[in-house]
Amino acid sequence: MQDMNFAGATPSDTGDLIKDSTISGFMKDVIETSQQVPVLVDFWAPWCEPCKALTPTLEQVVKEAKGAVRLVKINIDENQQLAAQMQIRSVPTVVMFSGGRPVDAFAGALNADQIRQFIARFVGEVGPSPEEQLLEQAAMLKEQGDLENAGALYSQLLQSDPEHAGAIAGLAKVLIQMGDLENARNVLSSAPAEQENNAEILSARRELEMAEQAAELGDVTELEAKLFENPENHQARFDLALALWAQQRREEAGEQLLEIIRRDRSWNEDGARQQLVKFFEIAGPADPFTVKMRQKLSSLLFA
């Protein structure tokens, strides 16, 4: 893994399967095309965090379908008139067109299986690709603590697709857990410019930042001793949260930040809440950690 080289990679060719469009191209790209093949229209916005998670998943599932469905992406900030005509009230919203007309829609960030089920009503079953099966296996190994084999699978995928965002992020996170921050940084630097805002890449970058910060904080036991001496030492509690997160003790880390908020919501210019949000970004919106901690945070803020 240490000698990986991503130089010279070129973007994958998605042909006409996936494209960006505007109000002027909507008739050709969506209405006319959907007369021959169903078209998913992804209404999104650059400021929309759930969009950053959904769009790569939509692209992945559409590629798996191998031409049975197309994806057209519409930036509502640049196409406000079209969004108004389509009565788009929130983003992300995805509309399925078939036979030249909208036939179904969903709002919010669904996962890959939910998107497959949605598409299956119009094009039949869409199964996971070999690439996704490899990613799922790597993620399972990582979850089980088998970092060496997880890293090997991510590396295998990157040999065939050096710009695969999920594999880049996955390998970087494996290296972070192994304590190899330098190689994790190198892997993330291989991500092409167009993936800078990819949700998985951003999550891995956040995790690397956390690990680099934690490396300078000292031992967990020392930080716990500081808190025992003075439970109002919010900086020690904040540092402890980062150190616990670096040890994959995520729930304990979240609880420490919630305790700061409980004791002093305004500490360090809302620093504890902001850090907790960073944890959410790393874990992902559907992760049980995020769901549980968001509920606890809401209870604190709106009590």
Side-chain angles (χ1 to χ4, degrees):
M1 287 188 290
Q2 295 181 349
D3 296 326
M4 294 178 64
N5 182 1
F6 302 101
T10 56
S12 300
D13 180 14
T14 58
D16 291 328
L17 289 180
I18 301 169
K19 63 168 57 178
D20 293 286
S21 190
T22 63
I23 189 170
S24 61
F26 195 79
M27 178 61 71
K28 177 178 182 296
D29 295 335
V30 177
I31 305 301
E32 293 178 7
T33 299
S34 71
Q35 299 284 358
Q36 283 77 46
V37 60
V39 177
L40 282 172
V41 183
D42 175 21
F43 291 93
W44 67 282
W47 43 263
C48 166
E49 290 299 324
C51 297
K52 296 175 184 177
L54 176 65
T55 299
T57 308
L58 281 171
E59 293 178 353
Q60 166 196 318
V61 175
V62 168
K63 289 176 186 177
E64 290 173 6
K66 300 185 184 304
V69 66
R70 305 287 175 87
L71 174 63
V72 172
K73 296 180 285 186
I74 303 290
N75 181 341
I76 66 165
D77 284 357
E78 297 175 355
N79 298 275
Q80 296 181 16
Q81 183 180 350
L82 177 58
Q85 290 174 356
M86 290 295 301
Q87 298 183 5
I88 303 302
R89 295 181 173 84
S90 65
V91 287
T93 291
V94 177
V95 182
M96 175 68 84
F97 277 76
S98 183
R101 62 188 181 86
V103 292
D104 205 349
F106 68 83
L110 303 188
N111 62 35
D113 284 339
Q114 291 170 320
I115 295 170
R116 291 190 195 100
Q117 292 169 14
F118 178 82
I119 292 175
R121 300 204 295 271
F122 305 94
V123 303
E125 293 295 326
V126 180
S129 66
E131 282 186 356
E132 188 181 16
Q133 292 176 21
L134 200 64
L135 279 175
E136 289 177 356
Q137 186 180 358
M140 181 182 67
L141 289 170
K142 177 177 174 291
E143 187 70 22
Q144 293 172 349
D146 189 352
L147 300 180
E148 288 289 346
N149 284 319
L153 289 181
Y154 286 127
S155 298
Q156 179 183 332
L157 181 52
L158 287 170
Q159 288 174 6
S160 59
D161 184 359
E163 295 188 347
H164 195 292
I168 291 173
L171 181 56
K173 289 186 175 184
V174 164
L175 290 167
I176 291 166
Q177 283 189 235
M178 295 173 69
D180 191 351
L181 304 188
E182 181 178 356
N183 273 314
R185 197 178 303 110
N186 291 338
V187 168
L188 285 171
S189 69
S190 73
E194 59 268 24
Q195 290 182 351
E196 282 298 312
N197 291 320
N198 177 277
E200 292 176 293
I201 298 295
L202 288 173
S203 171
R205 291 193 194 282
R206 289 286 195 193
E207 191 160 326
L208 179 59
E209 290 173 10
M210 298 298 101
E212 289 172 336
Q213 284 181 281
E216 303 173 358
L217 297 176
D219 185 67
V220 166
T221 305
E222 294 175 2
L223 294 168
E224 288 175 334
K226 288 183 179 180
L227 273 181
F228 182 78
E229 293 173 4
N230 179 13
E232 295 299 322
N233 186 340
H234 299 326
Q235 185 62 57
R237 195 179 297 278
F238 183 88
D239 293 346
L240 177 60
L242 296 182
L244 290 168
W245 184 268
Q247 293 184 3
Q248 304 301 310
R249 295 160 64 179
R250 303 192 306 173
E251 192 159 333
E252 293 176 69
E255 291 291 353
Q256 294 297 338
L257 294 176
L258 288 172
E259 184 61 24
I260 294 174
I261 297 168
R262 187 177 293 112
R263 291 171 179 265
D264 184 356
R265 293 187 187 182
S266 62
W267 177 78
N268 197 24
E269 298 181 352
D270 202 24
R273 186 194 62 81
Q274 292 177 26
Q275 184 60 56
L276 194 55
V277 170
K278 290 180 182 180
F279 285 169
F280 297 160
E281 291 173 355
I282 293 170
D287 190 279
F289 165 84
T290 302
V291 174
K292 182 176 182 179
M293 290 296 159
R294 277 196 187 279
Q295 290 175 343
K296 290 191 173 187
L297 178 61
S298 295
S299 296
L300 273 178
L301 296 179
F302 303 108

